[in-house]
């Protein structure tokens, strides 16, 4: 997946779409068809889409050579030279290229200045010096209507850089409505849609590109089911799109369906072996599955393809982390962050590495930076909570766990972490812990910690009825998963005792006999209990005798 | 950009040291600093001038010194986080410069705008170096700028910063300098035509603006011919059609575009401290959003300055924004974990890896305490205790103990065990075996905190603890902690001497400050700031007066007396010392000495008003007004309240709001406007509801007033029920002082319901409570009630009652208010009248004098009920004497008051004042 291009992103990402806009051969090919553009461009999806608008081109004869010269300069990254060549030209494309070149020149200068002006307080107020002039010029063009969709896109990013987000959104929506194939514009809109409300209020034409956008935005907003549904429908139309496949895999990874995602990624790599996009997610997946070989293979491959991509660095860092070489891992994460300072997952993962290195302040710092970049990153919140808990500050940690579980309410791990905080020695807030464990048990707790703890806590509070209920559930779960350990024995023992005490002898006998399969002191207890049950069932008033004996 | 600046600064000890050495000491060079450097150069004495005559441009030594003072203030002031633009500097300089007809200003601008190439900059700093080095052959006595003086160090820092600059840095400095010089010119333009109506003017202005811009680039271009395309590219948009409608918007953008230069780190921190002081002193004066906007701006300019987040936390706190206060607190401590709040304890051998997380917990606890979450606050504090014990952070521990005791004294906690979670957090009661009551825990905590603070020389904390101890001693009888073994004979009384001693000790913070090392760390530059500020106001007033012919001789030090100058003693110390006085006033209020209350409150309002927070200052006002109402009646008190309300609007200040309601309620009761009284009572009920935290004192006050209203409405049984439940609450929360007044109220209720026998035990109990807590005035009042009760039992007890009244009379006449005095007089008269051995005709003055006095007092108080009683007695007495004229008059007044009570008219007027 493309990271949303931001002001910190290198110029490389921005260059991509220009080839399409500059090379008019694409559009020339469309011309003869006349109205046929809509047929060619619109896929058959059973949904009625708006026809694809064809932007009317300028008269391309005046100054075409100058334009080509400027374009060449631009491609050679001599931005100011390109802008200079086009001064005084009023054609829409010429204007766009000139403004874009100026913008890029400003960005380049900004990046240089960021390094030059670094002060003791990390002063980062360097701005693109061209923004004001560009904003002034483009707004005039927009008012007079002498602007094409690319100009609008440029205007949008200028506005975003200046902090006028609302207007930027409007302008970008205008841009994609008049020319829907500019994916960069879509991505900018996506980065400006921080809540689903904003997303739903966008005034977008129902073009099929919108589906791509909505799906991607849903993924970003963690609305995984919706995203998956939309991508699967798109997959039916664009059958061999790598991009959609990668997105589906990402969604599935986010929904923790690792095996499905793994298959898709493998397939992707087979068809597109030099791919780097989305591969960092694949590496996360491999990390989660602990498949060291596959990860090393992937790392090697991206290293050979392009080692100076943040994704590549991240993959290599993941590999080292899995190997247990955390210092090296941190080093590569740092490199990734040098390449893209707003690379969210790298900050979070680096936090994890610092935790492994027991460098808590650095870990806190890394997590905090991740959270400040995107306050919806629940993993970083969770990491912060974990660190504070490790430092013996469970009450302080609760704030962070609460944040993370608020963002990801269906993740059992978060609730369990919170419950463990409440349960910890200094706090001892059992009721709250029980509430958290209940949430965890209700949200698909695969490791079964919640049920066991619930049972234990209830029995601690003397609520044996509830405890028995949860122990029973736990036993059922362990039976299904065919897992048998100390927890299993403990559950059986409690259930046997409980059933005996409330007089359900048959059940108690059942649990006792199952206990006999295990070695250890429980076996003896079970034996004696069985005898006791037999005596009581036979109506022998053993209890009274016991009493007298006492 | 250094991506890992933050990470590394917190990462490890040795790295941190390196970071702080490189980052903090070094000054960033800005055009403003260069301007100051230039002025220092002018200021520095030249070699040829003898020591007696001032150097060239200055007329007198005083004038010379004035510039020196100005420069000193410039380097120390901290009024904003941005450096002033050239225009501002010139304006301030003019105030110094007027004597030489703007020579300095002109020289400054020509010098600065004369710097057009990097080489000029090199020469400029070379010349600066000459100021510091003494020429060969100069003797030691010759005057030079001392390299170790404030200005000398400043110069050296600037020169060092320039020397370590890269070529890119020099280029940036140069372009900033050009913009700096030009900003003064353009802003002059803007100031001249404020509102542009015609398009002509606007476009002219645009051209001027663009011209300046082009000029910037031209200047740039002279230095670097190779980069000339920059100038051209910028000029390309000049030809583009420019819309005039966007002009305003552009203007805003232009402000962004101006190079913004931050002050030095020291100045920034001082600025933040100043803002924090303002936030504490008067939160309502700081608008939530605009302050946040300023802070956000500062944060984008200095992302590594995390203190900003703490200020945002404080701001949210003072505006009751729980969520954002919590968020900012966590963010601040996540980033600044390595550095702590208490810079004094951050010694060199501190374990930095662990960080000051305990102060995070301390702040979190205080936050919960502020928002009225005692449980959460206590959890946070216990965790803080644990963490600071783990990290061996003794000073933080002392602060935490102080905070816990503050919390415990604030909230009413009834249960005695399990409040302070694990025993080892306190570690005290495990050895004694018996669980300590909450009060005893509080005392132990206070004493420990005091001991630690004393050991660690935390002067402010010592003072705070002394005040808390005084508060504790005021309200609690100290029992021995050990409940077994040979018991020493214990007096179950509070000890006023202890209270006075504690308060006296707490005021020592002022003298400690003078001698101790506190003074060195507290220079926060506010002095210089206000000097500069006054300079400009002074100069404007001076300019207007300078129209007079002839030059005036300006005293350089006049400016020091312009407005209220900040005291050289830090605000926090002043606040603590002031609190001691306020506490004294409260103590005397309890012990019942009106003049002492007035005196201490007055001392507070006059001496500590500058430093006091609005809440404490309003409390002092409240005390003064309460004194007024007791001794001077309602009209005077309401007049004073109006003045106080102008200062603290009652809608925002809880103290004043409460006082207003108290006054209105009392007056309504006295006037017999029961419906109004009930209405205000309901308002009290709303205030004391637990929506905004639980304030136990407010709760008791609300139900006390409820009972009194019921009593006035003659609903005796209901009033008794309310008072009884109030008594049990007070007993549960161990509020013995309040118990005394509740018991007295119960006695009063029984007296009014003609159950004198039932009332007696209550009055006696109240009396004994008063005795053990030294509440002398209340005791006198209880004795008076006792006398009334005896009197109600029949004429045979008149002698006993009389002796009781005489017993209480000295206290009441000395310190009692109008109502109490009137009551005493009436009871006195009643005693005589019921006494069989007394006849009016023999000694009429014994009855008539007190009655006259009482009617006079009650007139002021508008207390109809009691006034009617007094007039009735008076009429009876005159009847016995056979003076019919006086009798009729008294009877008429009696009727007047009775009808006023029975047919209350214009009740609504009771709500107005």
């Amino acid at each position: 997946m493309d990271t949303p291009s931001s002001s910190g992103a290198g110029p490389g990402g921005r260059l991509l779409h220009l080839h399409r806009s500059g090379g008019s051969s694409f559009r020339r090919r469309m011309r003869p068809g006349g109205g046929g553009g809509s047929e060619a461009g619109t896929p058959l999806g059973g949904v009625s889409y708006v026809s694809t608008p064809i932007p009317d081109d300028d008269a391309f004869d005046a100054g075409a050579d100058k334009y080509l010269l400027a374009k060449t300069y631009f491609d050679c990254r001599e931005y100011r030279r390109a802008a200079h060549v086009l001064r005084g030209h009023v054609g829409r494309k010429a204007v766009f290229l000139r403004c874009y070149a100026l913008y890029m020149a400003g960005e380049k200068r900004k990046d240089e200045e960021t390094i030059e002006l670094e002060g003791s307080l990390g002063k980062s107020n360097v701005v693109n010096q061209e923004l004001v002039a560009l904003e002034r010029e483009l707004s005039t063009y927009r008012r007079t209507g002498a602007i094409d969709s690319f100009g609008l896109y440029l205007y949008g990013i200028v506005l975003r850089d200046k902090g006028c987000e609302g207007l930027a959104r409007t302008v970008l929506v205008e841009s994609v409505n008049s020319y829907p194939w500019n994916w960069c514009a879509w991505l900018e809109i996506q980065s400006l849609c921080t809540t689903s409300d904003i997303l739903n209020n966008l005034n977008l034409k129902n073009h099929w590109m919108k589906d791509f956008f909505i799906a991607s935005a849903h993924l970003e907003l963690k609305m995984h089911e919706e995203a998956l549904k939309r991508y699967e429908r798109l997959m039916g139309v664009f059958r061999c799109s790598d991009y959609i496949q990668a997105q589906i895999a990402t969604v599935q990874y986010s929904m923790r369906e690792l095996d499905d995602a793994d298959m898709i990624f493998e397939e992707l790599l087979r068809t597109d072996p030099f791919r780097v996009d989305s591969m960092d997610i694949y590496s996360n997946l491999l990390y989660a599955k602990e498949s060291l070989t596959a990860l090393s293979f992937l790392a090697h491959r991206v290293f050979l393809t392009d080692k100076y991509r943040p994704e590549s660095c991240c993959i290599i860092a993941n590999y080292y982390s899995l190997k247990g070489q955390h210092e090296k891992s941190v080093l590569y994460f740092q490199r990734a962050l040098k390449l893209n300072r707003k690379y969210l997952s790298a900050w979070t993962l680096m936090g994890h590495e610092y935790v492994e290195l027991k460098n808590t302040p650095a870990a806190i710092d890394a997590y905090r930076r991740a959270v400040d970049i995107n306050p919806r990153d629940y993993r970083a919140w969770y990491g912060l909570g974990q660190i504070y808990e490790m430092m013996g500050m469970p009450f302080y940690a609760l704030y962070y766990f609460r944040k993370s579980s608020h963002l990801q309410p269906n993740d059992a791990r978060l609730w369990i972490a919170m419950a463990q905080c409440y349960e910890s020695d200094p706090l001892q807030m059992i009721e709250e812990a029980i509430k958290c464990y209940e949430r965890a048990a209700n949200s698909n707790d695969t490791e079964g910690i919640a049920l066991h703890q619930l049972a234990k806590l209830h029995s601690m509070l003397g609520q044996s009825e509830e405890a028995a209920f949860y122990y029973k559930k736990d036993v059922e779960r362990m039976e299904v998963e065919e897992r048998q350990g100390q927890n299993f024995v403990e559950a059986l023992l409690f259930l046997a005792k409980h059933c005996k005490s409330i007089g359900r002898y048959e059940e108690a006998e059942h649990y006792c006999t199952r206990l006999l399969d295990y070695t250890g002191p429980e076996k003896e207890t079970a034996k004696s209990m069985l005898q006791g049950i037999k005596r009581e069932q036979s109506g022998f008033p053993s209890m009274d005798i016991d009493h007298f004996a006492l | 950009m250094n991506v890992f600046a933050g990470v590394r600064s917190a990462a490890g000890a040795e790295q941190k040291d390196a970071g702080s050495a490189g980052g903090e000491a070094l000054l960033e060079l800005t055009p403003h600093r260069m301007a100051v450097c230039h002025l220092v150069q002018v200021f520095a004495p030249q070699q040829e001038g003898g020591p007696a005559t001032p150097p060239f441009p200055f007329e007198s030594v005083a004038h010379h010194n004035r510039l020196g003072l100005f420069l000193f203030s410039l380097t120390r002031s901290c009024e904003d986080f941005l450096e002033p633009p050239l225009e501002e500097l010139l304006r301030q300089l003019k105030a110094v410069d007027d004597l030489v007809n703007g020579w300095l200003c002109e020289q400054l601008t020509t010098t600065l705008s004369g710097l057009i190439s990097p080489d000029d900059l090199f020469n400029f700093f070379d010349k600066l170096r000459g100021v510091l080095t003494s020429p060969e052959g100069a003797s030691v006595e010759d005057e030079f700028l001392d390299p170790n003086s404030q200005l000398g160090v400043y110069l050296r820092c600037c020169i060092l910063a320039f020397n370590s600059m890269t070529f890119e840095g020099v280029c940036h400095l140069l372009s900033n300098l050009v913009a700096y010089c030009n900003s003064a010119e353009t802003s002059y333009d803007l100031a001249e035509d404020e509102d542009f109506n015609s398009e002509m003017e606007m476009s002219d202005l645009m051209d001027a603006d663009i011209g300046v811009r082009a000029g910037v680039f031209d200047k740039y271009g002279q230095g670097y011919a190779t980069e000339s395309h920059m100038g051209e590219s910028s000029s390309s948009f000049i030809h583009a059609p420019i819309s005039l409608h966007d002009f305003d918007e552009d203007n805003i953008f232009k402000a962004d575009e101006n190079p913004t230069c931050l002050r030095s780190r020291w100045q920034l921190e001082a600025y933040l401290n100043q803002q924090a002081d303002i936030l504490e002193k008067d939160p309502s004066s700081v608008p939530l959003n605009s302050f946040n906007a300023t802070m956000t701006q500062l944060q984008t300019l200095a992302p590594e300055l995390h203190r900003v987040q703490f200020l945002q936390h404080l701001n949210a706190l003072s505006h009751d924004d729980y969520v954002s206060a919590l968020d900012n607190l966590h963010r601040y401590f996540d980033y600044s974990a390595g550095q702590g709040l208490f810079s004094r304890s951050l010694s060199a051998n501190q374990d930095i890896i662990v960080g000051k997380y305990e102060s995070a917990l301390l702040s979190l606890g205080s936050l919960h305490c502020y928002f009225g979450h005692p449980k959460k606050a206590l959890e946070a504090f216990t965790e803080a205790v644990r963490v600071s014990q783990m990290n061996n952070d003794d000073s933080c521990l002392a602060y935490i103990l102080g905070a816990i005791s503050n919390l415990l004294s604030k909230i009413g906690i009834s249960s005695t065990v399990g409040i302070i979670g694990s025993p080892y957090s306190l570690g005290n009661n495990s050895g004694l075996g018996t669980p300590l009551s909450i009060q005893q825990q509080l005392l132990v905590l206070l004493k420990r905190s005091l001991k630690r603070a004393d050991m660690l020389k935390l002067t402010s904390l010592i003072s705070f603890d002394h005040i808390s101890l005084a508060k504790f001693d005021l309200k609690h009888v100290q029992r021995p902690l050990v409940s077994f073994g040979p018991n020493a004979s214990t007096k179950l009384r509070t000890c006023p001497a202890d209270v006075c001693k504690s308060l006296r000790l707490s005021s020592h913070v002022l003298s400690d400050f003078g001698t101790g090392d506190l003074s060195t760390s507290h220079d926060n530059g506010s002095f210089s700031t206000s000097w500069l500020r006054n300079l400009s106001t002074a100069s404007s007033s001076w300019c207007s007066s300078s129209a007079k012919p002839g030059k005036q001789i300006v005293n350089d030090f006049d400016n020091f007396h312009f407005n209220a100058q900040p005291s050289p003693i830090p605000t926090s110390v002043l606040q603590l010392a002031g609190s001691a006085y306020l506490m004294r006033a409260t103590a005397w209020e309890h012990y019942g000495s009106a003049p002492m209350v007035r005196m201490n409150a007055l001392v507070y309002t006059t001496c500590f008003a500058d430093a006091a927070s609005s809440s404490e200052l309003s409390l002092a006002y409240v005390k003064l007004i309460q004194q007024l109402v007791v001794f001077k009646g309602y009209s005077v008190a309401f007049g004073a309240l109006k003045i106080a309300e102008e200062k603290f609007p009652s809608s925002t200040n809880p103290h004043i709001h409460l006082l207003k309601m108290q006054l209105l309620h009392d007056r309504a009761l006295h006037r017999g406007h029961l419906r109004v009284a009930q209405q205000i009572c309901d308002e009290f009920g709303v205030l004391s509801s637990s929506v905004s935290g639980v304030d136990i004192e407010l709760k008791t006050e609300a139900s006390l007033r409820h009972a009194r209203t019921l009593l006035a409405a003659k609903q005796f049984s209901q009033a008794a029920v309310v008072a009884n439940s109030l008594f049990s609450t007070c007993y549960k929360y161990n509020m013995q002082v309040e118990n005394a007044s509740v018991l007295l109220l119960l006695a009063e209720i029984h007296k009014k319901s003609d159950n004198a026998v039932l009332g007696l035990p209550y009055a006696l109990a109240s009396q004994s409570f008063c005795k053990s807590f030294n509440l002398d005035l209340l005791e006198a009042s209880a004795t008076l009630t006792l006398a009334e009760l005896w009197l109600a039992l029949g004429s045979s007890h008149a002698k006993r009652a009389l002796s009781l009244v005489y017993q209480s009379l000295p206290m009441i006449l000395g310190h009692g208010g109008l109502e109490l005095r009137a009551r005493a007089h009436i009871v006195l008269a009643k005693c005589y009248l019921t006494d069989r051995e007394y006849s009016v005709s023999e000694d009429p003055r014994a009855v008539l004098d007190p009655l006259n006095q009482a009617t006079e007092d009650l007139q002021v108080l508008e207390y109809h009920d009691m006034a009617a009683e007094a007039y009735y007695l008076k009429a009876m007495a005159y009847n016995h004497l056979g003076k019919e004229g006086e009798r009729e008059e008294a009877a008429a007044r009696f009727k007047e008051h009775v009808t006023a009570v029975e047919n209350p008219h214009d009740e609504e007027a009771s709500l107005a004042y």
Side-chain angles (χ1 to χ4, degrees), chain B residues 252-273:
Chain B
I252 298 163
F253 291 155
K254 225 176 65 189
D256 289 348
E257 190 198 4
N258 274 339
T260 44
C261 294
L262 285 172
R263 285 173 181 272
S264 70
R265 190 188 186 103
W266 179 88
Q267 282 171 316
L268 282 181
E269 301 237 332
Y271 168 74
L272 291 180
N273 281 340

Side-chain angles (χ1 to χ4, degrees), chain A residues 263-447:
Chain A
M263 254 158 52
I264 300 177
F265 274 125
E266 264 176 38
E267 175 67 28
L268 257 183
L269 270 185
R270 210 170 298 128
T271 54
D272 187 6
F274 299 105
R275 188 185 176 91
V276 184
D277 290 341
S278 307
M279 281 304 121
D280 50 337
I281 293 165
Y282 185 37
S283 78
N284 289 345
L285 186 150
L286 292 176
Y287 184 93
K289 291 183 77 178
E290 296 182 18
S291 44
L292 205 56
T293 347
L295 190 52
S296 76
F297 182 67
L298 180 68
H300 183 71
R301 195 191 284 205
V302 293
F303 179 77
L304 290 181
T305 313
D306 186 354
K307 69 179 233 183
Y308 290 118
R309 285 272 296 261
E311 288 92 344
S312 329
C313 300
C314 195
I315 294 168
I316 298 166
N318 267 339
Y319 170 67
Y320 277 122
S321 172
L322 195 58
K323 283 291 260 186
Q325 301 186 6
H326 300 292
E327 291 91 345
K328 279 192 182 168
S329 173
V330 166
L331 200 72
Y332 277 97
F333 277 127
Q334 287 182 346
R335 188 186 278 180
L337 287 168
K338 250 181 205 148
L339 291 168
N340 179 6
R341 205 179 147 72
K342 300 213 163 168
Y343 192 7
L344 180 69
S345 56
W347 280 116
T348 314
L349 293 174
M350 193 164 78
H352 294 334
E353 296 311 311
Y354 276 124
V355 173
E356 296 290 340
L357 288 171
K358 301 268 183 299
N359 187 349
T360 36
I364 290 175
D365 196 279
Y367 283 135
R368 189 28 109 162
R369 272 163 210 276
V371 163
D372 279 350
I373 290 171
N374 183 2
R376 301 178 55 81
D377 183 20
Y378 74 94
R379 284 170 310 169
W381 285 115
Y382 176 73
L384 277 170
Q386 259 186 329
I387 292 183
Y388 282 115
E389 199 191 354
M390 267 163 49
M391 290 165 64
M393 297 161 71
F395 183 77
Y396 202 72
L398 275 175
Y399 167 81
Y400 299 99
F401 285 134
R402 228 173 272 142
K403 281 258 179 197
S404 75
S405 59
H406 173 73
L407 292 170
Q408 190 84 349
N410 291 324
D411 196 330
R413 293 169 301 170
L414 309 180
W415 290 109
I416 289 175
M418 201 150 126
Q420 279 164 349
C421 263
Y422 276 122
E423 202 191 346
S424 63
D425 272 339
L427 285 187
Q428 295 280 357
M429 294 156 89
I430 305 293
E431 280 87 0
E432 283 83 356
I434 286 180
K435 274 180 210 154
C436 291
Y437 277 129
E438 272 169 6
R439 285 296 298 259
N442 288 338
S443 45
N444 187 24
D445 170 29
T446 47
E447 289 160 58

Side-chain angles (χ1 to χ4, degrees), chain A residues 80 84 87 98 102 109 113-125 129 132-133 135-137 139-140 143 162 164 334 337-338 341 347 350 354 359-362 364-365 368-369 372 384 388 391-396 399-400 403 426-427 429, chain B residues 1-4 6-7 10-11 23 28 168 172 206 229-230 232-233 236-237 240-243 246 249-250 253 257 260 262 265 268 300-305 326-327 329-331 333-335 353-354 357 360-361 364 368 376 379-380 383 386-387 390:
Chain A
R80 290 205 182 272
H84 184 69
R87 73 193 184 286
R98 181 167 54 75
L102 276 180
R109 187 74 204 120
E113 281 189 352
T114 319
I115 298 161
E116 289 167 13
L117 287 178
E118 159 91 319
S120 61
L121 293 168
K123 196 162 103 180
S124 66
N125 65 330
Q129 293 294 326
V132 184
E135 208 263 355
R136 191 181 296 167
E137 195 181 342
S139 69
T140 318
R143 205 171 300 117
K162 291 195 75 69
C164 319
Q334 287 182 346
L337 287 168
K338 250 181 205 148
R341 205 179 147 72
W347 280 116
M350 193 164 78
Y354 276 124
N359 187 349
T360 36
I364 290 175
D365 196 279
R368 189 28 109 162
R369 272 163 210 276
D372 279 350
L384 277 170
Y388 282 115
M391 290 165 64
M393 297 161 71
F395 183 77
Y396 202 72
Y399 167 81
Y400 299 99
K403 281 258 179 197
L427 285 187
M429 294 156 89
Chain B
M1 180 182 284
N2 186 0
V3 183
F4 305 103
V7 177
E28 273 172 75
E168 287 100 325
H172 278 292
M206 288 297 292
H229 65 268
M230 275 180 74
E232 279 172 313
S233 75
S236 66
F237 69 78
I242 291 168
S243 150
D246 274 3
E249 218 179 343
D250 288 342
F253 291 155
E257 190 198 4
T260 44
L262 285 172
R265 190 188 186 103
L268 282 181
T300 50
L301 291 177
E304 301 299 329
L305 190 70
L326 195 64
D327 284 349
L329 177 99
H330 281 273
R331 174 175 298 141
F333 281 107
D334 282 345
Y335 275 129
I353 306 276
V354 178
Y357 296 102
L361 283 164
L364 182 65
H368 283 307
K376 283 185 176 172
E379 288 289 354
E383 197 159 293
R386 213 170 42 237
V387 173
M390 219 157 64

Side-chain angles (χ1 to χ4, degrees), chain B residues 485-505:
Chain B
N487 265 349
S489 66
T490 49
K491 266 194 315 182
L492 287 180
R493 282 184 76 126
T494 57
C495 190
D498 277 357
V499 176
C500 289
K501 205 175 81 188
S502 299
L503 286 175
R504 193 169 284 274
L505 281 172

Side-chain angles (χ1 to χ4, degrees), chain B residues 513-545:
Chain B
F513 162 74
T515 57
D517 50 353
L518 261 177
S519 53
T520 50
S521 62
H522 271 88
D523 173 23
N524 57 8
S526 55
F527 200 73
S528 304
T529 308
S530 67
W531 192 85
L532 273 186
R533 221 174 262 160
N534 287 333
L535 187 66
S536 44
T537 56
S539 70
S540 61
S541 66
W542 191 80
C543 284
S544 60
S545 66

